[in-house]
Amino acid sequence: MIRLASMAVLLALLSPSAVACPITDAAASAQDDAAKVDFVKDVLPIFRERCFECHSGDSDEGDLLLDDKTNVFDDERSDAAIKPGSPKESSIYRRIVLPADDSDIMPAEGDPLTKAQIATIERWIREGASWPDGAVQPVVAKKPPEILRVPELDDAQTALVDAAVKRVRTAGGTATKVAATSNAWYVNIGLLGKKLDDARLGELLAGLEPALVWLNLGRTAVSDEGASVLAGFGELRRLQLQGTAITDRALDSVGKLAKLEYLNLYGTSITDAGLERLAGLTALTRLFVWQTKVTEAGARKLAEAIPALEIDLGASAQDLAAVAKRIEEASRPVNDLCPITGKKVDPKKTFAFEGKTIALCCSDCLQKFAKDPKKWFPKVVFRDPKSAATTVDADATPVLLNAKCPVSGEAANAEHSIRIGDAAIGFCCGKCKAKFEAELAKHPEAKARFVGK
Ligand code: HEC
């Protein structure tokens, strides 16, 4: 395809009135200017129509306010919303071009932007994303937003915070202010996974004590020893320790975080005895203890000590066993003989198609089948003819096998699910689903068990 700019040069060359060099010609460049995307006329209406609902006024989803120039171009953001000149490095552009079924696509609701709208935004960013001051009247917040702040820091403290933020980002974590006008920070070093151990934790966070309000350490290698530094982070409101190696001992330090409102301990080995150490956390409103050794009685005891607290115990062992059984059933091959050679199948060489797991006799046949499943599927001889008849209606809302998201422990939603035949495993949001899928991708043998998408 010929890009518009070169087309203009071509036309200028062909035009009989083109006496001056078409590239340096002043008239031509003036014309280029005139053709530039106009923020107020071309871009703002798209934002207003499709984004403001969630990204303006008192609605600042993802900490992004599209009616606020300083927020959009804030270079404190770990992920630039708009990088003038470079659409690909601008999260706004990256989000709007995602496939329609990607859970991260923006707008988060309704149809994707049209091709023309996407092209306009792409060109506007490429041309430098000019945004005249005062072009947008900030949408007036319906209620004055309550911005989470920590007590003012002195210069020395601020310098230490800045240094720690740099370290976290260099290490591959994210550090973001919780709101553009706040002095409180959110750090996610769960992103480092098992690379984050106890020693590393202390090093990275030193200096953030007075400013850190949200911290995600989920699925890292942090254990009780590392968690002991947390006692010094008295401003923490949210703490995620899910999937770490901590035990009850770590809750001695966590129990000192008087401002803590949200605590996620999902998938750790804490027990009722550990919960007792949290009894002084009167600000706590949400606690996740799914897949721990905490019992209902233990949870009830803590709930009595902190009346506003909602404790999530998650699915029972029975629920999980049911999920495991369904996966097992759905992944058992439906045939004994290879549809290509007629030989006995190797139960490890399987391919998922039309909601069925089909076994082949060898890797060669597996590849052949995978290349053209439609051709070979009719040749499959079902061990149980009944199972041949049950087809999966890909459009029907799947039956969820689990009530709670296995990643966050929050309520599972059929809209974010992975199908297993006619049933599905649900997640609370697209992000958790993506995390789970990324995990699955590392284990092809487990992935083969999930049928379809
Ligand atoms: C129905 C609500 C809704 C609409 C409409 C919407 N968004 Fe979002 N947006 C969200 C939510 C929720 C998040 C935070 C979760 C996430 O990052 O996916 C978010 C996050 C983002 C982020 C990431 C911010 C960051 O730095 O982490 C960008 C960029 C974004 N939206 C751009 C847009 C654009 C551009 C539009 C309009 C074309 C739009 N959004 C429309 C709900 C919405």
Side-chain angles (χ1 to χ4, degrees):
M1 201 182 86
I2 301 171
R3 280 220 314 247
L4 281 178
S6 42
M7 193 71 146
V9 171
L10 269 180
L11 285 176
L13 273 172
L14 293 172
S15 149
S17 63
V19 279
C21 165
I23 297 164
T24 56
D25 183 18
S29 75
Q31 209 177 15
D32 262 7
D33 246 15
K36 261 188 164 184
V37 174
D38 183 294
F39 175 67
V40 174
K41 233 173 59 222
D42 305 321
V43 177
L44 189 55
I46 306 176
F47 284 176
R48 191 168 277 138
E49 187 196 335
R50 298 304 313 277
C51 319
F52 272 18
E53 179 195 339
C54 305
H55 295 290
S56 74
D58 54 11
S59 182
D60 60 346
E61 297 288 10
D63 186 26
L64 176 65
L65 285 170
L66 286 173
D67 60 339
D68 178 354
K69 181 177 176 180
T70 53
N71 180 264
V72 170
F73 293 99
D74 181 0
D75 46 22
E76 296 270 4
R77 300 184 76 92
S78 47
D79 195 12
I82 294 175
K83 179 123 194 269
S86 177
K88 289 213 174 82
E89 289 173 86
S90 306
S91 65
I92 284 182
Y93 177 72
R94 286 203 313 265
R95 294 288 195 113
I96 59 176
V97 293
L98 289 170
D101 63 350
D102 190 301
S103 57
D104 282 341
I105 190 177
M106 290 295 144
E109 278 170 16
D111 291 333
L113 296 186
T114 64
K115 283 210 175 102
Q117 288 173 323
I118 293 174
T120 300
I121 292 175
E122 195 272 341
R123 235 181 86 201
W124 170 67
I125 298 177
R126 189 157 37 84
E127 290 170 349
S130 86
W131 181 316
D133 279 329
V136 190
Q137 288 302 315
V139 175
V140 182
K142 285 166 231 94
K143 56 176 165 49
E146 257 178 59
I147 291 172
L148 177 56
R149 294 184 65 87
V150 293
E152 290 309 321
L153 308 183
D154 63 29
D155 291 348
Q157 285 173 316
T158 307
L160 287 176
V161 167
D162 290 345
V165 163
K166 267 210 197 98
R167 279 198 306 274
V168 166
R169 289 179 181 164
T170 309
T174 63
T176 343
K177 281 187 181 167
V178 297
T181 55
S182 176
N183 59 352
W185 287 84
Y186 163 44
V187 164
N188 181 353
I189 37 182
L191 300 166
L192 304 187
K194 300 293 179 213
K195 277 189 289 184
L196 186 78
D197 57 15
D198 289 335
R200 205 76 208 287
L201 175 70
E203 270 164 42
L204 283 180
L205 296 187
L208 275 167
E209 289 85 349
L212 191 61
V213 292
W214 298 343
L215 176 61
N216 186 347
L217 297 174
R219 295 173 196 280
T220 58
V222 168
S223 73
D224 292 342
E225 203 186 320
S228 63
V229 305
L230 296 175
F233 290 79
E235 290 295 330
L236 276 176
R237 311 299 202 275
R238 277 177 81 104
L239 177 58
Q240 289 169 261
L241 287 165
Q242 70 274 17
T244 58
I246 62 153
T247 70
D248 288 345
R249 207 150 59 82
L251 300 187
D252 282 334
S253 337
V254 175
K256 296 194 178 107
L257 304 174
K259 294 183 178 170
L260 206 61
E261 295 164 7
Y262 170 111
L263 177 60
N264 192 336
L265 300 171
Y266 152 68
T268 59
S269 44
I270 56 146
T271 72
D272 291 347
L275 278 204
E276 286 179 18
R277 304 175 199 191
L278 302 178
L281 297 182
T282 50
L284 201 61
T285 54
R286 281 296 257 154
L287 172 65
F288 295 91
V289 287
W290 196 39
Q291 283 186 33
T292 61
K293 293 182 185 133
V294 170
T295 66
E296 229 180 292
R300 201 170 312 122
K301 201 161 156 206
L302 183 64
E304 274 162 24
I306 313 174
L309 176 61
E310 205 181 303
I311 302 180
D312 202 318
L313 272 165
S316 66
Q318 269 168 336
D319 289 350
L320 287 178
V323 172
K325 189 155 168 266
R326 286 304 297 261
I327 294 177
E328 192 62 48
E329 274 169 14
S331 60
R332 195 182 311 141
V334 295
N335 59 319
D336 296 318
L337 300 177
C338 176
I340 297 177
T341 62
K343 287 190 201 155
K344 219 167 158 270
V345 299
D346 175 349
K348 288 204 193 80
K349 303 276 185 292
T350 62
F351 187 81
F353 186 66
E354 304 254 317
K356 314 268 190 289
T357 301
I358 293 132
L360 291 304
C361 65
C362 62
S363 307
D364 283 351
C365 284
L366 177 55
Q367 272 177 18
K368 247 191 206 164
F369 193 94
K371 239 189 220 148
D372 194 358
K374 279 213 184 80
K375 171 175 169 197
W376 298 108
F377 187 67
K379 300 199 164 51
V380 172
V381 179
F382 284 77
R383 184 184 318 113
D384 174 6
K386 265 198 304 217
S387 70
T390 54
T391 52
V392 176
D393 179 358
D395 294 329
T397 310
V399 182
L400 288 191
L401 298 169
N402 56 316
K404 301 282 153 87
C405 169
V407 180
S408 71
E410 306 214 15
N413 178 342
E415 267 181 43
H416 307 288
S417 56
I418 300 179
R419 293 189 82 107
I420 308 159
D422 55 355
I425 295 194
F427 300 85
C428 65
C429 65
K431 280 198 172 157
C432 282
K433 179 181 159 189
K435 263 191 204 158
F436 189 85
E437 282 177 327
E439 210 39 55
L440 267 187
K442 289 185 222 151
H443 304 281
E445 71 293 347
K447 192 166 184 219
R449 302 182 155 210
F450 290 87
V451 177
K453 209 179 158 197

